[in-house]
Structures are given as C-alpha cells and as structure tokens.
Amino acid sequence: MADQSTPGASAQKSAQGSAQDTSRETTQADSPQVTSPRGVDGVFTRRRLLGTAGATGLALGAAGGAAGYAAAPSADNATPLTSLGADTVMFHGKHQPGITTALQARGHLVAFDLAAGAGRKEAAALLRRWSTTAQRLMAGEAAAHDDTDVARDAGPSSLTVTFGFGHSFFARTGLEKQRPVALDPLPDFSSDHLDKARSNGDLWVQIGADDALVAFHALRTIQKDAGSAARVRWQMNGFNRSPGATSQPMTARNLMGQIDGTRNPKPSESDFDQRIFVPASGDPEWMANGSYAVVRRIRMLLDDWEKLSVTAQEDVIGRKKSNGAPLTGGTETTAMNLDKTDADGKLVVPINAHARISRPDQNGGAAMLRRPFSFHDGFDPDGVPDAGLLFVCWQADPLRAFVPVQRKLDRGDALSTFIRHEASGLFAVPGGAAEGEYVGQRLLEG
C-alpha cells in the first residue's frame, strides 16, 4: 500500500470517459488503446448495437411487475449505451493491457495450475485460445464458441485481460532455462500470514472492466477455455469506485477511507518505462516490453482501524484523510517536508508513517506502479469484515522495487498493525502480442 497513485486514472474517469486521453494507452504502438464504440474498421459489432439499449428497470413476469418494482423501459425511452460501456482497450500493442489502463470498477484475479500431464504443447494451445478470447471480448464481441450471453447487451466497458507466468510454470513446461532471474520467489516477511492455497500458480490472469457482468463474462469464458489443460488454483474478486461517481477526477480511496496512491509513477515521467517495463534488450528476450506483477491479498483490520480518531489515522498514514495532502501542508500533490517539526520539536510526519517509509526517495529510488482493487468477502462468524486490498504492483524488476520497499515497511511501518498479508504471488507478464501472435508465443515457440 505504498504512497503512489495510478497514472491517469486512480484519478477516475469522468462520466464522459475522458480520463484516458493523456495516458499511454491512447497510442497503440506504446500500450493498449482506448477507442470509441465504432471498431477500427468503422463497423459497429452486434454487441455494440445491442448495447445502445441498456435496461433501466426490472420487469417481473409478463404483466410487468408487482408494486415496488420498476417497469422495463420501452424502446422509445431506453437508456443509450454511454461512454462507460463504449470504451474499448486494444488487445494488441507493445505492452499487455491492464497495466497502464485506467483503474476499472470491477476486477477478477485468477491463477491456474497446468493439469497433470500437460506441458509446453498444451500451454501453447491454451495461451492461443486465451489470446483469441481476450481479443474478441475486449472488442465487445461474443466468445468464439458457446458464449453464455452474460454480456450480450453491454459494450466492451474498458475490458482488459492480462496474462502472466508463475515460477512453477517453467519446470512444468521444460522451460527452466528461460525462467527469468527476476522471477525468483519473494523472500519471507515477518508480517506475512500467507495461505499457500491462495498464493502463486503456474498461470495468472487479471481481468478488469467497468461493468460487473462484462468482467464476470470474461472470467467465466477464460475458465471454460482452460478446458482439460489447466485448473483454477485460486480466484479473487475486487472493485474500485465507478468512473463518473465523483464530481471531478480524483485519486481513488481504499476501504480505510484514505486517498490511496498519490505518488505513483506516471507515464509522462521520463524514467517511467525504465522503472515499469523490461527493456526491448532485456534478458530473457521473450520478456521484452513486459513487466513483473506482485499480487498480494492484504486484509485490512477495519474494526481496529475505525477505533482510531481521524488524527491518529492521519499520523499512521502521514497524510490528511480529507484530501490526501501531506501533514506538512498544501494539497495532495504538494511535496512532503520530512524534516518539518511542530512547536514541541516533534516531526509533523511521524518517523514510522506509511507515506514516509514507502517513498521512493527513502528507498533508493525504488518505485512500482500500483494498480489495486479493493475486496470484501463477507464477515467472519464474529462479525469481523473480511475486506481489504487486492494489491497489484508492476515493475521492471521486483527484486529492486517491491522487495526493498516491503522489507522497509516490514521493519517499522505504523500501518502494519492494521493490515495482514494473507496471500502472495509473483508473475512474469510478457510484452503485448503483435497482430497474428498470442501472448507468450515468443517463450513457448522460441
């Protein structure tokens, strides 16, 4: 939960869907492109046309419905497909989608293990199927086979599907010599309470969309496509604030109520690609323009957190809860004065404040692109919420980004009292697939 923000859209998109106009996904050659509901060939797909009639009411039976239910809208006053549903992210590009793409309202993270007896050949066929499915669904089209029609009436809704490989994948496929050094297992941290059954995996898929049914449709289709080649190891569901829910674009809040992610690297920064993506000349070659994803299920101990006063919460974080400004004054983007003291000579930003400890300039420049989802999976028998953050961060080398920052947080972060790391994974996410390619082809067929 480092003090960083998602570029271009942890400040959420406005209701008109304009937040992506300054981010890297507007250039297909650089990273996934967001387009209008009209396809690149200028033709509307069947789903895009159907999407212009989104339902606003609930019909109950043939006669309309009982009292308390809204009638289904007529064709004359049906709500048109808005920019929220029309936004499209391109599947093909220099980088995979879902990395620099704007934060999405719904997310699913799922890991698979290859089935017994499945190897490189089966993995290649699976990635080929998955890539075809991702391309079709992200364009707002139905799945190639046995589509469930779950998303039939919706547009693409900024759907992204991202694929990665875990450490164990390489032994299963006989590709140990191609396993990157950067994919070495993460070290143990003293604050970890990891459930091995919900950690790691041979293959990892991240799904994001601005509509819950579109996201679920993609999850279900990807799971069905796995067939006999792979089985689900674990799966987690997350959410963010919906685009347009705030009067103006702003950095997202987490379930603690804090503005979360103010100092994220931004694509406009000259060293952004160097920090987040493996260079084209990187080692191994198949990871060119790829990135490494660290995935952590971080439970927030909300009952304990909410017992604190707002002032005490702000001291834990080092920022104002109201607007994310540093305790030393200014606005959210004002530089934090780490040396400022109060009238009693005490540091205004406590020495163990989360925002102080996680700063790149306090960690040798180590930085990562955070792109999380919140989660809530119900309540324990005693009423304690099982809720928190599905932490996903991206970097060119996790051993130089996530690991040193987490080690420092592990030693003395005031926030650690109120969170628990319950699951973990590290995945190599190759660069985007070119036209005619599938994700991972350079690894599996190289």
Side-chain angles (χ1 to χ4, degrees), residues 153-170:
D153 309 304
S157 300
S158 297
L159 175 67
T160 60
V161 186
T162 316
F163 303 102
F165 304 108
H167 184 276
S168 56
F169 175 83
F170 297 85

Side-chain angles (χ1 to χ4, degrees), residues 66 84 97 106 163 174 200 217 219 243 327 341 344 384 406 408 429:
L84 182 67
R106 297 288 178 173
F163 303 102
N200 301 314
H217 177 244
L219 173 66
L327 297 184
T341 57
D344 297 324
V384 175
Q406 185 58 34
K408 191 167 184 180
V429 177

Side-chain angles (χ1 to χ4, degrees), residues 77-292:
N77 62 5
T79 302
L81 180 68
T82 66
S83 60
L84 182 67
D87 283 347
T88 304
V89 182
M90 300 299 293
F91 174 75
H92 295 294
K94 182 177 180 180
H95 310 299
Q96 285 198 60
I99 302 175
T100 60
T101 310
L103 280 182
Q104 293 144 303
R106 297 288 178 173
H108 300 294
L109 308 180
V110 55
F112 293 82
D113 286 335
L114 292 173
R120 182 173 177 177
K121 178 180 177 181
E122 290 77 15
L126 175 57
L127 266 298
R128 188 180 295 109
R129 289 197 301 275
W130 274 353
S131 296
T132 297
T133 290
Q135 180 182 3
R136 291 180 64 92
L137 299 188
M138 286 173 56
E141 300 171 2
H145 304 287
D146 300 322
D147 190 89
T148 62
D149 283 343
V150 172
R152 179 184 182 93
D153 309 304
S157 300
S158 297
L159 175 67
T160 60
V161 186
T162 316
F163 303 102
F165 304 108
H167 184 276
S168 56
F169 175 83
F170 297 85
R172 298 292 303 276
T173 55
L175 292 166
E176 294 97 329
K177 292 183 179 179
Q178 290 297 319
R179 184 172 58 219
V181 174
L183 200 57
D184 285 353
L186 297 174
D188 294 330
F189 301 102
S190 64
S191 59
D192 285 353
H193 297 77
L194 303 182
D195 178 358
K196 292 183 178 180
R198 293 194 293 182
S199 299
N200 301 314
D202 294 342
L203 293 158
W204 175 69
V205 185
Q206 174 191 259
I207 295 167
D210 284 331
D211 178 78
L213 287 179
V214 169
F216 174 81
H217 177 244
L219 173 66
R220 177 60 175 148
T221 306
I222 288 293
Q223 184 257 330
K224 288 172 61 180
D225 275 354
S228 61
R231 59 179 178 80
V232 173
R233 178 181 176 89
W234 55 260
Q235 194 265 313
M236 302 174 189
N237 307 312
F239 57 90
N240 284 305
R241 175 176 278 151
S242 296
T246 57
S247 59
Q248 59 186 8
M250 62 177 292
T251 309
R253 290 186 185 271
N254 60 33
L255 298 189
M256 288 178 162
Q258 299 290 148
I259 290 180
D260 187 355
T262 299
R263 289 179 55 85
N264 234 358
K266 296 176 175 58
S268 58
E269 296 169 356
S270 60
D271 60 352
F272 179 84
D273 282 1
Q274 179 183 346
R275 291 181 170 192
I276 307 306
F277 294 110
V278 177
S281 59
D283 183 27
E285 292 182 3
W286 66 268
M287 273 297 290
N289 302 313
S291 188
Y292 292 91

